[in-house]
Amino acid sequence: MRVASIEATQTAVQRRGGLALDSSSIPPVEGRIHSTESFSTVDGPGVRFIVFTQGCGMRCLFCSNPDTQSMTDGKLVSSKDIAAKLARMEPYLQPNGGGVTCSGGEPLLQPDFVAGVFQEAHALGLSTCLDTTGQGSKHKSWDHVLPHTDMVLFCIKHLDPMQYEHITGLHQSGSLAFAAELKERHIPFWLRYVLIPNLTDRVGDIEMLIAFAKAQPTLVGIELLPYHQLGKNKWDALGWPYPLEGVQPPSHECVLEVMHKLKNAGLHVLCDHKDAPSSGVARYSAISSSSNNNAGAHAAA
């Protein structure tokens, strides 16, 4: 039972070496996206270009982007279109391990498109980051995307299986299998955990989170995300009732208490909450771009 340090995880990613493909040898793949964002600094190491894919199998009670749930909305783009944008931004993305992050929606529901984007990024010498809830399956999704993935931001939702299903509408088994896949492939990742009063912030909830986190050998740390209602207007615009109507964000005392519990358990913690003490850790830590082969990487404690 060990948690990878920032430095060890960075070294693990750098070991994944090999030669990146030339862009001309990477076939174009079409995907359906909701939008893109340039110059993000909160979705992986360094400065990043974010691709928000369209479609998600979960129906989370606290979803901030319900407009990304439908698999048929959004716009159809080619991985080559994304590559062209990355090439123009490469001088700004390259420093400090920056690159592209595929988010959503759920990017693993469009594995060939995401794999194509990630290969294009590696051809430019940029790092790749997957922001996911671990949907899909090994042979249909993960085997396509994870060989081209340098780092994962993994939203775990809840560690209790009944609460997980209540929050997401899906069974927890897929999420746990994805975590096992990250361990098997030695891929460094951050756990993202949304802190919701009386739903994910109870003593037992945090104890389960700590136990799970400490059992992950390539975990870098936990990003604590205090619940907010910033996406409620999107539910209203869609004419959907908001499931957490009346639920308020956690108090800053609650956030600080949970942060201290996580740190006292020996875990690295990120949190942008007002007045939260600094973790002393650079956000996500820089990673180097790798090739399409991540075999043989090991994160030492």
Side-chain angles (χ1 to χ4, degrees), residues 100-276:
V100 65
T101 296
C102 281
S103 184
E106 173 51 66
L108 286 173
L109 296 185
Q110 300 188 62
D112 293 332
F113 173 69
V114 173
V117 169
F118 280 5
Q119 288 179 82
E120 296 284 359
H122 281 160
L124 291 166
L126 301 174
S127 69
T128 61
C129 184
L130 182 69
D131 182 7
T132 181
T133 59
Q135 293 179 51
S137 62
K138 175 175 172 57
H139 298 301
K140 292 183 178 180
S141 304
W142 310 338
D143 284 350
H144 294 258
V145 176
L146 294 182
H148 313 290
T149 302
D150 294 324
M151 178 173 278
V152 171
L153 309 179
F154 179 25
C155 188
I156 195 64
K157 307 298 182 182
H158 206 293
L159 272 304
D160 178 85
M162 293 185 65
Q163 289 296 327
Y164 184 97
E165 187 170 352
H166 169 63
I167 290 171
T168 69
L170 296 182
H171 294 297
Q172 187 190 47
S173 56
S175 177
L176 297 180
F178 181 74
E181 189 73 14
L182 296 180
K183 176 181 178 180
E184 178 70 21
R185 293 177 180 269
H186 311 289
I187 296 177
F189 71 100
W190 284 83
L191 275 181
R192 284 181 154 178
Y193 190 79
V194 182
L195 194 67
I196 307 172
N198 300 313
L199 189 60
T200 67
D201 70 339
R202 294 161 296 196
V203 172
D205 302 333
I206 304 307
E207 289 176 349
M208 285 188 288
L209 174 64
I210 290 172
F212 177 82
K214 296 190 75 172
Q216 309 307 311
T218 62
L219 177 77
V220 187
I222 295 176
E223 183 176 12
L224 197 63
L225 303 169
Y227 165 75
H228 59 71
Q229 296 182 341
L230 297 181
K232 182 179 181 298
N233 63 312
K234 297 182 181 181
W235 289 75
D236 295 339
L238 291 167
W240 297 354
Y242 185 60
L244 297 184
E245 186 72 51
V247 176
Q248 298 300 310
S251 67
H252 104 222
E253 290 82 6
C254 172
V255 175
L256 295 181
E257 181 182 357
V258 172
M259 286 189 68
H260 286 309
K261 286 182 179 180
L262 297 175
K263 289 184 176 182
N264 288 340
L267 299 164
H268 295 299
V269 183
L270 286 176
C271 184
D272 286 339
H273 184 69
K274 179 179 177 292
D275 297 330

Side-chain angles (χ1 to χ4, degrees), residues 84-101:
K85 294 181 179 181
L86 292 175
R88 290 195 294 270
M89 295 180 60
E90 185 270 336
Y92 307 99
L93 300 177
Q94 182 72 252
N96 301 314
V100 65
T101 296

